[in-house]
Amino acid sequence: MTFELWNTAVLPSMLALAIGFALDLAFGDPHWMPHPVCLIGNLISKGETIIRSMLPKTPGGEFAGGVLLAVVVILVSTALPIAILWGAAQIHVGLRIAVEALMCYQIL
């Protein structure tokens, strides 16, 4: 296995998933870390409050608000982990694997 393979997304992610799975088997749920689903739920709750205050209380306004909220939640919940992993990979591939393994452990 060459160094170039470790700079791809596949092999480090497979290793991180295996490590995260092993951590989950060994230690169970990490109650000391907030679960991503809870964080996404908080984003939805706060986002809904903000969007409802900005848009009219009509069926069209509520539909537009729902679409806007869905797009924002999908973008944030996708872009944030990507940005964290990208930043970790810029420092060292080992750090990326460690961070991704921790994410896998937290999510499993």
Side-chain angles (χ1 to χ4, degrees):
M1 184 173 331
T2 65
F3 182 73
E4 289 80 27
L5 281 176
W6 283 103
N7 284 329
T8 66
V10 176
L11 290 177
S13 290
M14 289 173 48
L15 180 59
L17 179 60
I19 293 168
F21 183 71
L23 288 171
D24 188 57
L25 283 176
F27 301 112
D29 289 338
H31 296 289
W32 53 273
M33 285 195 307
H35 198 277
V37 172
C38 293
L39 298 175
I40 292 170
N42 291 338
L43 175 63
I44 291 169
S45 180
K46 289 182 173 103
E48 182 181 8
T49 302
I50 293 168
I51 289 172
R52 282 185 181 269
S53 70
M54 293 174 16
L55 296 175
K57 310 281 187 270
T58 63
E62 289 183 356
F63 179 79
V67 169
L68 177 62
L69 182 60
V71 168
V72 167
V73 168
I74 291 168
L75 286 175
V76 169
S77 60
T78 302
L80 188 60
I82 288 172
I84 291 168
L85 292 175
W86 179 84
Q90 297 309 303
I91 297 169
H92 192 274
V93 69
L95 180 61
R96 177 194 158 197
I97 292 169
V99 170
E100 191 170 0
L102 190 63
M103 287 178 170
C104 289
Y105 168 52
Q106 180 185 26
I107 292 168
L108 291 175

